[in-house]
Amino acid sequence: MEIKKVGVAGCGLMGHGIAQVSAEAGYEVVVTELNQENLDKGIAKIEKQLGRAVEKGKLEQSEADAIRGRINPTLHPHEFAECDLVIEAITEDLEMKLDFWKQVDEVAKPEAFFATNTSSLPVINQAAATSRPDRFLGLHFFNPVQRMPLLEVIQSVTTSPEAMAVGMAYGEKLNKTTVETRDKAGFIVNRLLVPYMLDGIRGLEEGIGSIEEIDTAMKAGAGHPMGPLALSDFVGLDTLASIGNVMFDEFRERRFAAPPTLRKLVAAGFYGVKSGRGFYDYSGEKPVPVNPGL
Ligand code: CAA
């Protein structure tokens, strides 16, 4: 089945990027949020990025207008009725996701495919709660979606070969590097990346270096674009903690457990870049490391 219209639930950090790259690839896009403020914020980010691409000469104004024109922002999930593929990028909370799918399952056409952008929750738990577990798969994007080439295409125990083929074809149309993976918490990238970020935080707790020293060392010593603490802030400390918790519950291994410093920062509402403070303070021109008071 050819996908023409894509629904994206959530216009936050991941959702706005998924909506943008889908529209750039030529799909008609319906994007929803829980409230107008969040929707406006997400759409403003897309418009800003399209504007910047025009300024840099990477896009004609007419192309940017056409991309924006393909995105229909709405607060009403019933607008997913005509979508061929609906991707959820809402809060990483299974109950919220199950509520969402219940609503969408009722309005979406029977032949539509569903996908979750979950970072770590098992795909099968969502798939099994819908009337179409065979047409349900995982499509895991990376932040920033516009920039990171990878799309993990996840096969749960019920996902049909047809649904996997749809996911792979969608990723290829987006010009992403697609990798098929199985429904195991963390899939490939987070299975390896999350313990690494958590170890960066443990290293800070154990005094191997300061925030800046740890990040500088990993950039200069291992060629990473960001050190583990800056990357944790970038991913979102609340998201990192919640992925770690899911993986710890699944595997019962210390390497996935959220270290105390991470839990304290999350409790304080210091979620990283998105809240303006995490391991760094983002209120000035340049991020400044803030001692988390170990
Ligand atoms: N949103 C959209 N585009 C962005 C962006 C953002 N937040 N940040 C940067 N970009 C774009 C810029 O517009 C620019 O585009 P052009 O080349 O077209 O002009 C390009 O990226 C490079 O930007 P900069 O020169 O400003 O920045 P940089 O070279 O320092 O790169 C970075 C920034 C791409 C974020 C880089 O630091 C990087 O790759 N960091 C690692 C990111 C990473 O590991 N992501 C995965 C996180 S894990 C995850 O997402 C999975 C999960 O489930 C938690």
Side-chain angles (χ1 to χ4, degrees):
M1 179 180 145
E2 199 198 342
I3 303 298
K4 291 191 175 137
K5 196 165 184 176
V6 175
V8 181
C11 199
L13 198 61
M14 302 304 285
H16 90 275
I18 299 171
Q20 183 180 333
V21 295
S22 299
E24 284 172 356
Y27 293 108
E28 288 297 321
V29 176
V30 173
V31 60
T32 61
E33 251 301 345
L34 287 177
N35 58 56
Q36 194 63 45
E37 193 191 341
N38 290 356
L39 193 58
D40 291 346
K41 265 195 206 158
I43 296 297
K45 277 194 218 157
I46 295 174
E47 289 173 348
K48 193 170 162 194
Q49 274 149 30
L50 292 175
R52 235 191 261 145
V54 172
E55 270 169 33
K56 287 183 185 167
K58 293 188 171 175
L59 212 56
E60 292 293 325
Q61 184 63 53
S62 58
E63 291 170 301
D65 293 343
I67 292 166
R68 175 63 189 84
R70 284 195 284 276
I71 302 176
N72 170 20
T74 170
L75 293 179
H76 307 294
H78 64 249
E79 302 229 13
F80 288 140
E82 293 308 313
C83 291
D84 307 302
L85 169 67
V86 180
I87 305 169
E88 74 76 21
I90 64 174
T91 306
E92 195 71 343
D93 176 296
L94 184 60
E95 287 310 311
M96 285 176 78
K97 290 186 195 283
L98 295 183
D99 275 355
F100 165 77
W101 286 123
K102 191 163 181 284
Q103 285 179 49
V104 177
D105 207 12
E106 281 167 15
V107 297
K109 49 190 183 186
E111 63 273 27
F113 292 89
F114 289 172
T116 172
N117 177 54
T118 181
S119 315
S120 55
L121 295 167
V123 174
I124 186 59
N125 291 5
Q126 295 178 61
T130 69
S131 65
R132 56 190 95 196
D134 56 323
R135 303 176 91 77
F136 199 112
L137 72 158
L139 287 174
H140 187 216
F141 288 85
F142 295 82
N143 179 27
V145 175
Q146 297 88 338
R147 177 77 184 176
M148 303 309 282
L150 182 64
L151 178 66
E152 288 179 321
V153 182
I154 301 132
Q155 181 165 34
S156 86
V157 65
T158 55
T159 310
S160 65
E162 188 196 356
M164 285 300 283
V166 161
M168 294 296 283
Y170 166 72
E172 278 150 28
K173 193 157 170 196
L174 262 50
N175 214 11
K176 295 287 182 199
T177 303
T178 47
V179 173
E180 282 190 42
T181 178
R182 306 286 93 75
D183 190 15
K184 304 230 157 82
F187 316 121
I188 296 175
V189 172
N190 281 342
R191 174 75 173 256
L192 300 173
L193 190 62
V194 167
Y196 158 72
M197 287 188 276
L198 297 177
D199 255 347
I201 300 171
R202 281 187 201 104
L204 179 70
E205 288 174 339
E206 288 161 18
I208 58 170
S210 65
I211 293 171
E212 232 169 355
E213 285 163 346
I214 291 173
D215 279 349
T216 302
M218 287 310 292
K219 283 197 289 182
H224 291 195
M226 285 175 166
L229 303 169
L231 183 59
S232 300
D233 274 2
F234 186 66
V235 165
L237 300 185
D238 53 337
T239 305
L240 177 61
S242 107
I243 300 173
N245 288 339
V246 169
M247 291 173 76
F248 181 74
D249 281 349
E250 186 79 3
F251 302 114
R252 299 281 156 186
E253 289 180 38
R254 177 188 185 255
R255 65 196 169 115
F256 300 115
T261 302
L262 177 61
R263 287 201 274 110
K264 282 187 215 161
L265 291 173
V266 172
F270 299 151
Y271 298 154
V273 178
K274 65 183 162 191
S275 73
R277 179 171 166 184
F279 289 103
Y280 292 82
D281 181 332
Y282 297 90
S283 56
E285 225 166 74
K286 272 184 144 189
V288 178
V290 191
N291 187 324
L294 301 168

